[in-house]
Amino acid sequence: QVQLVESGGGLVQAGGSLRLSCAASGSIFSINLMGWYRQAPGKQRELVAAITSSGSTNYADSVKGRFTIFRDNAKNTVSLQMNSLKLEDTGIYYCYLERGPPIRAYWGQGTQVTVSS
């Protein structure tokens, strides 16, 4: 009973920036972590960045130094600041939330990020 709504996707030229945001609503408690995954054309869905309730973060090697994940616990939101975007960053970005125990996972509907040359 958790809903995740992403916003901020769009079209941007290589080298530019975007900020994605995800708002969680519903039965929000016992959140273990929130994060962002992406699905590029022809590839498996992959973890981009995650942040735990205590603030620990993890990033895919391909985005380290370029992307930053933030949480606002009071607002139950998570954001992803994406800088120095590359063509290979193109894909559908999904907000992810894990709560528990028992472990339950929730996904947003996805937002398209397209990086052009």
Short mmCIF file of all heavy atoms in Angstrom, two decimals, residues 43-106:
data_model
loop_
_atom_site.label_atom_id
_atom_site.label_comp_id
_atom_site.label_asym_id
_atom_site.label_seq_id
_atom_site.Cartn_x
_atom_site.Cartn_y
_atom_site.Cartn_z
N LYS A 43 19.03 -3.53 -22.39
CA LYS A 43 19.79 -3.91 -21.22
C LYS A 43 18.87 -4.27 -20.06
O LYS A 43 17.70 -3.94 -20.05
CB LYS A 43 20.72 -2.76 -20.79
CG LYS A 43 21.85 -2.46 -21.76
CD LYS A 43 22.80 -1.44 -21.17
CE LYS A 43 23.99 -1.20 -22.08
NZ LYS A 43 24.94 -0.23 -21.49
N GLN A 44 19.45 -4.97 -19.08
CA GLN A 44 18.74 -5.30 -17.86
C GLN A 44 18.58 -4.06 -16.98
O GLN A 44 19.39 -3.12 -17.05
CB GLN A 44 19.48 -6.38 -17.09
CG GLN A 44 19.54 -7.73 -17.77
CD GLN A 44 18.21 -8.44 -17.71
OE1 GLN A 44 17.42 -8.39 -18.65
NE2 GLN A 44 17.95 -9.10 -16.59
N ARG A 45 17.56 -4.09 -16.15
CA ARG A 45 17.40 -3.03 -15.18
C ARG A 45 18.57 -3.08 -14.20
O ARG A 45 18.95 -4.15 -13.73
CB ARG A 45 16.07 -3.18 -14.44
CG ARG A 45 15.76 -2.05 -13.49
CD ARG A 45 14.40 -2.21 -12.84
NE ARG A 45 13.32 -2.19 -13.82
CZ ARG A 45 12.03 -2.22 -13.50
NH1 ARG A 45 11.65 -2.27 -12.23
NH2 ARG A 45 11.11 -2.21 -14.46
N GLU A 46 19.12 -1.93 -13.88
CA GLU A 46 20.28 -1.87 -13.02
C GLU A 46 20.11 -0.81 -11.95
O GLU A 46 19.44 0.20 -12.15
CB GLU A 46 21.55 -1.56 -13.83
CG GLU A 46 21.54 -0.20 -14.49
CD GLU A 46 22.85 0.14 -15.18
OE1 GLU A 46 23.84 -0.59 -15.01
OE2 GLU A 46 22.88 1.16 -15.91
N LEU A 47 20.75 -1.07 -10.83
CA LEU A 47 20.76 -0.08 -9.75
C LEU A 47 21.61 1.11 -10.15
O LEU A 47 22.73 0.95 -10.62
CB LEU A 47 21.32 -0.70 -8.47
CG LEU A 47 21.50 0.27 -7.30
CD1 LEU A 47 20.15 0.68 -6.73
CD2 LEU A 47 22.36 -0.36 -6.21
N VAL A 48 21.07 2.30 -9.95
CA VAL A 48 21.81 3.52 -10.19
C VAL A 48 22.35 4.07 -8.89
O VAL A 48 23.55 4.38 -8.76
CB VAL A 48 20.93 4.58 -10.89
CG1 VAL A 48 21.71 5.88 -11.09
CG2 VAL A 48 20.42 4.05 -12.22
N ALA A 49 21.48 4.23 -7.91
CA ALA A 49 21.87 4.76 -6.61
C ALA A 49 20.84 4.36 -5.58
O ALA A 49 19.66 4.19 -5.90
CB ALA A 49 22.00 6.29 -6.66
N ALA A 50 21.28 4.22 -4.34
CA ALA A 50 20.38 3.89 -3.25
C ALA A 50 20.84 4.60 -1.99
O ALA A 50 22.04 4.90 -1.83
CB ALA A 50 20.33 2.38 -3.02
N ILE A 51 19.90 4.84 -1.11
CA ILE A 51 20.21 5.47 0.16
C ILE A 51 19.37 4.82 1.25
O ILE A 51 18.18 4.60 1.08
CB ILE A 51 19.98 7.00 0.10
CG1 ILE A 51 20.40 7.67 1.41
CG2 ILE A 51 18.53 7.33 -0.26
CD1 ILE A 51 20.50 9.19 1.30
N THR A 52 20.01 4.48 2.36
CA THR A 52 19.33 3.84 3.46
C THR A 52 18.70 4.88 4.37
O THR A 52 18.92 6.08 4.24
CB THR A 52 20.28 2.96 4.28
OG1 THR A 52 21.20 3.81 5.00
CG2 THR A 52 21.06 2.02 3.39
N SER A 53 17.92 4.39 5.32
CA SER A 53 17.28 5.29 6.27
C SER A 53 18.29 6.04 7.13
O SER A 53 17.98 7.12 7.65
CB SER A 53 16.31 4.51 7.16
OG SER A 53 16.98 3.49 7.88
N SER A 54 19.48 5.49 7.28
CA SER A 54 20.52 6.13 8.06
C SER A 54 21.39 7.07 7.24
O SER A 54 22.26 7.75 7.79
CB SER A 54 21.40 5.09 8.75
OG SER A 54 22.10 4.31 7.80
N GLY A 55 21.18 7.09 5.93
CA GLY A 55 21.91 8.01 5.08
C GLY A 55 23.06 7.41 4.30
O GLY A 55 23.71 8.13 3.54
N SER A 56 23.32 6.13 4.46
CA SER A 56 24.37 5.49 3.67
C SER A 56 23.96 5.41 2.21
O SER A 56 22.80 5.15 1.90
CB SER A 56 24.66 4.09 4.20
OG SER A 56 25.14 4.14 5.53
N THR A 57 24.90 5.62 1.32
CA THR A 57 24.60 5.64 -0.10
C THR A 57 25.44 4.63 -0.86
O THR A 57 26.52 4.22 -0.41
CB THR A 57 24.84 7.03 -0.70
OG1 THR A 57 26.21 7.41 -0.49
CG2 THR A 57 23.93 8.06 -0.06
N ASN A 58 24.93 4.24 -2.01
CA ASN A 58 25.64 3.34 -2.90
C ASN A 58 25.33 3.77 -4.32
O ASN A 58 24.19 4.09 -4.64
CB ASN A 58 25.21 1.89 -2.67
CG ASN A 58 26.02 0.91 -3.48
OD1 ASN A 58 27.25 0.98 -3.50
ND2 ASN A 58 25.35 -0.02 -4.15
N TYR A 59 26.35 3.76 -5.17
CA TYR A 59 26.21 4.19 -6.55
C TYR A 59 26.78 3.15 -7.49
O TYR A 59 27.78 2.49 -7.18
CB TYR A 59 26.93 5.51 -6.80
CG TYR A 59 26.41 6.68 -6.02
CD1 TYR A 59 26.94 7.02 -4.78
CD2 TYR A 59 25.38 7.47 -6.54
CE1 TYR A 59 26.46 8.11 -4.07
CE2 TYR A 59 24.89 8.56 -5.84
CZ TYR A 59 25.44 8.87 -4.60
OH TYR A 59 24.96 9.95 -3.90
N ALA A 60 26.17 3.06 -8.65
CA ALA A 60 26.78 2.28 -9.71
C ALA A 60 28.10 2.94 -10.12
O ALA A 60 28.22 4.17 -10.10
CB ALA A 60 25.85 2.20 -10.92
N ASP A 61 29.07 2.12 -10.48
CA ASP A 61 30.37 2.67 -10.87
C ASP A 61 30.25 3.67 -12.01
O ASP A 61 31.00 4.66 -12.07
CB ASP A 61 31.32 1.54 -11.28
CG ASP A 61 31.79 0.71 -10.10
OD1 ASP A 61 31.69 1.18 -8.95
OD2 ASP A 61 32.27 -0.42 -10.33
N SER A 62 29.32 3.44 -12.90
CA SER A 62 29.19 4.28 -14.07
C SER A 62 28.70 5.69 -13.78
O SER A 62 28.83 6.58 -14.63
CB SER A 62 28.25 3.62 -15.09
OG SER A 62 26.96 3.44 -14.54
N VAL A 63 28.14 5.91 -12.58
CA VAL A 63 27.60 7.23 -12.25
C VAL A 63 28.32 7.90 -11.10
O VAL A 63 28.01 9.05 -10.78
CB VAL A 63 26.09 7.17 -11.95
CG1 VAL A 63 25.34 6.46 -13.08
CG2 VAL A 63 25.83 6.48 -10.62
N LYS A 64 29.28 7.23 -10.50
CA LYS A 64 30.00 7.82 -9.38
C LYS A 64 30.68 9.12 -9.80
O LYS A 64 31.32 9.19 -10.85
CB LYS A 64 31.04 6.84 -8.83
CG LYS A 64 30.44 5.69 -8.05
CD LYS A 64 31.52 4.75 -7.52
CE LYS A 64 30.91 3.62 -6.71
NZ LYS A 64 31.95 2.66 -6.24
N GLY A 65 30.53 10.12 -8.97
CA GLY A 65 31.11 11.42 -9.26
C GLY A 65 30.23 12.31 -10.10
O GLY A 65 30.53 13.50 -10.24
N ARG A 66 29.17 11.75 -10.68
CA ARG A 66 28.27 12.53 -11.52
C ARG A 66 26.86 12.64 -10.92
O ARG A 66 26.21 13.68 -11.10
CB ARG A 66 28.16 11.91 -12.91
CG ARG A 66 29.47 11.84 -13.66
CD ARG A 66 29.27 11.41 -15.11
NE ARG A 66 28.72 10.06 -15.21
CZ ARG A 66 27.56 9.77 -15.79
NH1 ARG A 66 26.82 10.73 -16.32
NH2 ARG A 66 27.14 8.51 -15.85
N PHE A 67 26.40 11.60 -10.26
CA PHE A 67 25.06 11.57 -9.69
C PHE A 67 25.12 11.65 -8.18
O PHE A 67 26.07 11.14 -7.56
CB PHE A 67 24.32 10.28 -10.07
CG PHE A 67 23.97 10.13 -11.52
CD1 PHE A 67 24.45 11.00 -12.49
CD2 PHE A 67 23.14 9.09 -11.92
CE1 PHE A 67 24.12 10.85 -13.82
CE2 PHE A 67 22.80 8.93 -13.25
CZ PHE A 67 23.29 9.81 -14.20
N THR A 68 24.11 12.25 -7.58
CA THR A 68 24.00 12.33 -6.14
C THR A 68 22.57 12.02 -5.73
O THR A 68 21.63 12.58 -6.31
CB THR A 68 24.39 13.71 -5.60
OG1 THR A 68 25.70 14.06 -6.05
CG2 THR A 68 24.37 13.72 -4.08
N ILE A 69 22.40 11.15 -4.75
CA ILE A 69 21.08 10.79 -4.27
C ILE A 69 20.83 11.48 -2.93
O ILE A 69 21.73 11.58 -2.10
CB ILE A 69 20.91 9.26 -4.16
CG1 ILE A 69 19.45 8.90 -3.86
CG2 ILE A 69 21.85 8.66 -3.14
CD1 ILE A 69 19.15 7.41 -4.03
N PHE A 70 19.62 11.95 -2.75
CA PHE A 70 19.21 12.65 -1.54
C PHE A 70 17.91 12.06 -1.03
O PHE A 70 17.07 11.62 -1.82
CB PHE A 70 18.98 14.14 -1.79
CG PHE A 70 20.12 14.87 -2.40
CD1 PHE A 70 20.22 15.00 -3.77
CD2 PHE A 70 21.08 15.46 -1.59
CE1 PHE A 70 21.26 15.70 -4.34
CE2 PHE A 70 22.13 16.17 -2.15
CZ PHE A 70 22.22 16.29 -3.54
N ARG A 71 17.71 12.11 0.27
CA ARG A 71 16.43 11.79 0.89
C ARG A 71 15.96 12.94 1.75
O ARG A 71 16.76 13.61 2.40
CB ARG A 71 16.51 10.53 1.75
CG ARG A 71 16.38 9.23 1.00
CD ARG A 71 16.19 8.08 1.97
NE ARG A 71 14.88 8.13 2.62
CZ ARG A 71 14.49 7.27 3.56
NH1 ARG A 71 15.30 6.30 3.94
NH2 ARG A 71 13.29 7.39 4.10
N ASP A 72 14.66 13.15 1.74
CA ASP A 72 14.02 14.06 2.67
C ASP A 72 13.02 13.22 3.46
O ASP A 72 11.91 12.96 2.99
CB ASP A 72 13.32 15.20 1.93
CG ASP A 72 12.74 16.23 2.88
OD1 ASP A 72 12.45 15.91 4.04
OD2 ASP A 72 12.56 17.39 2.44
N ASN A 73 13.44 12.77 4.63
CA ASN A 73 12.61 11.86 5.40
C ASN A 73 11.29 12.49 5.83
O ASN A 73 10.27 11.80 5.92
CB ASN A 73 13.37 11.37 6.63
CG ASN A 73 14.52 10.46 6.29
OD1 ASN A 73 14.53 9.80 5.25
ND2 ASN A 73 15.52 10.40 7.16
N ALA A 74 11.30 13.78 6.10
CA ALA A 74 10.08 14.45 6.53
C ALA A 74 9.04 14.46 5.43
O ALA A 74 7.83 14.40 5.71
CB ALA A 74 10.39 15.87 6.98
N LYS A 75 9.48 14.55 4.19
CA LYS A 75 8.56 14.58 3.06
C LYS A 75 8.41 13.24 2.36
O LYS A 75 7.64 13.13 1.40
CB LYS A 75 9.02 15.63 2.05
CG LYS A 75 8.99 17.05 2.56
CD LYS A 75 9.40 18.03 1.47
CE LYS A 75 9.31 19.47 1.96
NZ LYS A 75 9.70 20.43 0.90
N ASN A 76 9.15 12.24 2.82
CA ASN A 76 9.13 10.93 2.19
C ASN A 76 9.43 11.01 0.70
O ASN A 76 8.71 10.45 -0.14
CB ASN A 76 7.78 10.23 2.43
CG ASN A 76 7.52 9.95 3.89
OD1 ASN A 76 6.49 10.37 4.43
ND2 ASN A 76 8.43 9.24 4.54
N THR A 77 10.49 11.72 0.38
CA THR A 77 10.90 11.84 -1.00
C THR A 77 12.36 11.45 -1.15
O THR A 77 13.14 11.51 -0.20
CB THR A 77 10.72 13.27 -1.52
OG1 THR A 77 11.52 14.17 -0.75
CG2 THR A 77 9.27 13.70 -1.46
N VAL A 78 12.71 11.06 -2.34
CA VAL A 78 14.09 10.80 -2.69
C VAL A 78 14.34 11.44 -4.05
O VAL A 78 13.48 11.40 -4.93
CB VAL A 78 14.41 9.29 -2.71
CG1 VAL A 78 13.60 8.56 -3.78
CG2 VAL A 78 15.90 9.05 -2.90
N SER A 79 15.50 12.05 -4.19
CA SER A 79 15.84 12.74 -5.42
C SER A 79 17.18 12.26 -5.94
O SER A 79 18.02 11.78 -5.18
CB SER A 79 15.89 14.26 -5.20
OG SER A 79 14.64 14.76 -4.79
N LEU A 80 17.35 12.41 -7.22
CA LEU A 80 18.60 12.04 -7.87
C LEU A 80 19.05 13.21 -8.73
O LEU A 80 18.39 13.54 -9.71
CB LEU A 80 18.43 10.79 -8.73
CG LEU A 80 19.68 10.22 -9.39
CD1 LEU A 80 20.61 9.64 -8.34
CD2 LEU A 80 19.32 9.18 -10.43
N GLN A 81 20.15 13.83 -8.33
CA GLN A 81 20.74 14.89 -9.12
C GLN A 81 21.71 14.27 -10.10
O GLN A 81 22.67 13.62 -9.69
CB GLN A 81 21.46 15.90 -8.22
CG GLN A 81 22.14 17.03 -8.96
CD GLN A 81 21.16 17.94 -9.66
OE1 GLN A 81 20.14 18.31 -9.09
NE2 GLN A 81 21.45 18.29 -10.92
N MET A 82 21.47 14.49 -11.37
CA MET A 82 22.28 13.89 -12.42
C MET A 82 23.00 15.00 -13.18
O MET A 82 22.37 15.84 -13.82
CB MET A 82 21.42 13.07 -13.38
CG MET A 82 20.59 11.99 -12.68
SD MET A 82 19.70 10.92 -13.84
CE MET A 82 18.54 12.11 -14.52
N ASN A 83 24.31 14.98 -13.10
CA ASN A 83 25.14 15.96 -13.78
C ASN A 83 26.01 15.28 -14.82
O ASN A 83 26.22 14.07 -14.79
CB ASN A 83 26.03 16.71 -12.78
CG ASN A 83 25.25 17.51 -11.76
OD1 ASN A 83 24.17 18.02 -12.04
ND2 ASN A 83 25.80 17.62 -10.56
N SER A 84 26.54 16.08 -15.72
CA SER A 84 27.43 15.57 -16.77
C SER A 84 26.85 14.35 -17.46
O SER A 84 27.50 13.32 -17.63
CB SER A 84 28.80 15.23 -16.17
OG SER A 84 29.39 16.36 -15.55
N LEU A 85 25.60 14.47 -17.87
CA LEU A 85 24.90 13.34 -18.45
C LEU A 85 25.54 12.88 -19.76
O LEU A 85 26.02 13.69 -20.56
CB LEU A 85 23.43 13.70 -18.68
CG LEU A 85 22.59 13.70 -17.40
CD1 LEU A 85 21.31 14.49 -17.59
CD2 LEU A 85 22.27 12.26 -16.98
N LYS A 86 25.52 11.57 -19.94
CA LYS A 86 26.08 10.93 -21.11
C LYS A 86 24.98 10.22 -21.89
O LYS A 86 23.92 9.92 -21.35
CB LYS A 86 27.15 9.92 -20.70
CG LYS A 86 28.29 10.48 -19.88
CD LYS A 86 29.24 9.38 -19.45
CE LYS A 86 30.40 9.93 -18.63
NZ LYS A 86 31.32 8.84 -18.19
N LEU A 87 25.26 9.93 -23.14
CA LEU A 87 24.29 9.23 -23.96
C LEU A 87 23.86 7.91 -23.33
O LEU A 87 22.69 7.54 -23.41
CB LEU A 87 24.86 8.96 -25.36
CG LEU A 87 25.12 10.19 -26.24
CD1 LEU A 87 25.75 9.74 -27.56
CD2 LEU A 87 23.84 10.96 -26.50
N GLU A 88 24.79 7.22 -22.71
CA GLU A 88 24.48 5.93 -22.11
C GLU A 88 23.64 6.02 -20.85
O GLU A 88 23.23 4.99 -20.30
CB GLU A 88 25.77 5.14 -21.83
CG GLU A 88 26.79 5.89 -21.00
CD GLU A 88 27.86 6.56 -21.84
OE1 GLU A 88 27.52 7.12 -22.91
OE2 GLU A 88 29.04 6.52 -21.44
N ASP A 89 23.37 7.23 -20.37
CA ASP A 89 22.46 7.41 -19.25
C ASP A 89 21.00 7.34 -19.68
O ASP A 89 20.11 7.33 -18.82
CB ASP A 89 22.71 8.74 -18.55
CG ASP A 89 24.07 8.80 -17.87
OD1 ASP A 89 24.48 7.79 -17.26
OD2 ASP A 89 24.72 9.86 -17.94
N THR A 90 20.75 7.30 -20.95
CA THR A 90 19.38 7.24 -21.46
C THR A 90 18.68 5.98 -20.97
O THR A 90 19.25 4.89 -20.97
CB THR A 90 19.39 7.27 -22.99
OG1 THR A 90 19.85 8.56 -23.43
CG2 THR A 90 17.99 7.04 -23.55
N GLY A 91 17.44 6.13 -20.56
CA GLY A 91 16.65 4.99 -20.14
C GLY A 91 15.45 5.43 -19.33
O GLY A 91 15.21 6.62 -19.12
N ILE A 92 14.70 4.44 -18.89
CA ILE A 92 13.59 4.70 -17.99
C ILE A 92 14.09 4.54 -16.57
O ILE A 92 14.66 3.50 -16.22
CB ILE A 92 12.41 3.74 -18.24
CG1 ILE A 92 11.94 3.86 -19.68
CG2 ILE A 92 11.27 4.05 -17.29
CD1 ILE A 92 10.88 2.84 -20.06
N TYR A 93 13.89 5.55 -15.77
CA TYR A 93 14.35 5.55 -14.39
C TYR A 93 13.19 5.26 -13.46
O TYR A 93 12.14 5.90 -13.54
CB TYR A 93 14.98 6.90 -14.05
CG TYR A 93 16.37 7.06 -14.62
CD1 TYR A 93 16.56 7.17 -15.99
CD2 TYR A 93 17.49 7.08 -13.80
CE1 TYR A 93 17.83 7.29 -16.53
CE2 TYR A 93 18.77 7.21 -14.33
CZ TYR A 93 18.93 7.31 -15.68
OH TYR A 93 20.19 7.44 -16.21
N TYR A 94 13.39 4.30 -12.57
CA TYR A 94 12.36 3.84 -11.67
C TYR A 94 12.74 4.12 -10.22
O TYR A 94 13.85 3.78 -9.79
CB TYR A 94 12.13 2.34 -11.80
CG TYR A 94 11.63 1.90 -13.16
CD1 TYR A 94 12.53 1.53 -14.15
CD2 TYR A 94 10.28 1.84 -13.43
CE1 TYR A 94 12.07 1.12 -15.39
CE2 TYR A 94 9.82 1.42 -14.66
CZ TYR A 94 10.73 1.07 -15.64
OH TYR A 94 10.28 0.65 -16.86
N CYS A 95 11.83 4.70 -9.49
CA CYS A 95 12.00 4.86 -8.06
C CYS A 95 11.71 3.54 -7.37
O CYS A 95 10.80 2.81 -7.77
CB CYS A 95 11.06 5.95 -7.55
SG CYS A 95 11.21 6.31 -5.78
N TYR A 96 12.48 3.24 -6.35
CA TYR A 96 12.37 1.98 -5.62
C TYR A 96 12.34 2.26 -4.12
O TYR A 96 13.10 3.10 -3.63
CB TYR A 96 13.56 1.08 -5.96
CG TYR A 96 13.67 -0.18 -5.15
CD1 TYR A 96 12.93 -1.32 -5.48
CD2 TYR A 96 14.53 -0.26 -4.06
CE1 TYR A 96 13.04 -2.48 -4.75
CE2 TYR A 96 14.64 -1.43 -3.31
CZ TYR A 96 13.90 -2.54 -3.67
OH TYR A 96 14.02 -3.70 -2.94
N LEU A 97 11.48 1.54 -3.43
CA LEU A 97 11.39 1.66 -1.98
C LEU A 97 11.31 0.27 -1.37
O LEU A 97 10.56 -0.58 -1.85
CB LEU A 97 10.17 2.49 -1.57
CG LEU A 97 9.94 2.75 -0.07
CD1 LEU A 97 9.19 4.07 0.11
CD2 LEU A 97 9.16 1.63 0.60
N GLU A 98 12.08 0.05 -0.34
CA GLU A 98 12.04 -1.20 0.40
C GLU A 98 11.72 -0.90 1.86
O GLU A 98 12.33 -0.03 2.46
CB GLU A 98 13.38 -1.93 0.30
CG GLU A 98 13.40 -3.27 1.03
CD GLU A 98 14.77 -3.91 1.01
OE1 GLU A 98 15.21 -4.32 -0.08
OE2 GLU A 98 15.41 -3.99 2.08
N ARG A 99 10.77 -1.64 2.38
CA ARG A 99 10.40 -1.51 3.79
C ARG A 99 10.31 -2.89 4.42
O ARG A 99 10.18 -3.91 3.74
CB ARG A 99 9.08 -0.77 3.96
CG ARG A 99 7.93 -1.32 3.15
CD ARG A 99 6.63 -0.62 3.47
NE ARG A 99 6.03 -1.13 4.69
CZ ARG A 99 4.73 -1.10 4.96
NH1 ARG A 99 3.89 -0.56 4.09
NH2 ARG A 99 4.28 -1.58 6.10
N GLY A 100 10.36 -2.92 5.74
CA GLY A 100 10.24 -4.18 6.43
C GLY A 100 11.09 -4.21 7.69
O GLY A 100 11.74 -3.21 8.04
N PRO A 101 11.09 -5.36 8.38
CA PRO A 101 10.50 -6.64 7.97
C PRO A 101 9.00 -6.72 8.22
O PRO A 101 8.50 -5.98 9.08
CB PRO A 101 11.25 -7.65 8.84
CG PRO A 101 11.61 -6.88 10.07
CD PRO A 101 11.89 -5.48 9.61
N PRO A 102 8.34 -7.61 7.51
CA PRO A 102 8.80 -8.38 6.36
C PRO A 102 9.14 -7.49 5.18
O PRO A 102 8.54 -6.43 5.01
CB PRO A 102 7.60 -9.28 6.04
CG PRO A 102 6.42 -8.48 6.50
CD PRO A 102 6.88 -7.79 7.76
N ILE A 103 10.12 -7.93 4.40
CA ILE A 103 10.59 -7.12 3.29
C ILE A 103 9.50 -6.98 2.24
O ILE A 103 8.93 -7.96 1.77
CB ILE A 103 11.85 -7.74 2.65
CG1 ILE A 103 12.99 -7.79 3.69
CG2 ILE A 103 12.27 -6.97 1.42
CD1 ILE A 103 13.44 -6.43 4.16
N ARG A 104 9.24 -5.74 1.87
CA ARG A 104 8.32 -5.43 0.80
C ARG A 104 8.96 -4.40 -0.11
O ARG A 104 9.57 -3.45 0.37
CB ARG A 104 6.99 -4.91 1.34
CG ARG A 104 6.24 -5.92 2.20
CD ARG A 104 4.93 -5.36 2.68
NE ARG A 104 4.26 -6.27 3.61
CZ ARG A 104 3.45 -7.25 3.25
NH1 ARG A 104 3.21 -7.47 1.96
NH2 ARG A 104 2.89 -8.02 4.17
N ALA A 105 8.83 -4.60 -1.39
CA ALA A 105 9.43 -3.72 -2.37
C ALA A 105 8.36 -3.06 -3.23
O ALA A 105 7.37 -3.70 -3.58
CB ALA A 105 10.40 -4.49 -3.27
N TYR A 106 8.58 -1.81 -3.54
CA TYR A 106 7.63 -1.04 -4.33
C TYR A 106 8.38 -0.31 -5.43
O TYR A 106 9.52 0.12 -5.24
CB TYR A 106 6.88 -0.04 -3.45
CG TYR A 106 6.11 -0.69 -2.33
CD1 TYR A 106 6.71 -0.92 -1.09
CD2 TYR A 106 4.79 -1.09 -2.50
CE1 TYR A 106 6.03 -1.53 -0.06
CE2 TYR A 106 4.10 -1.71 -1.48
CZ TYR A 106 4.71 -1.92 -0.25
OH TYR A 106 4.02 -2.53 0.77
#
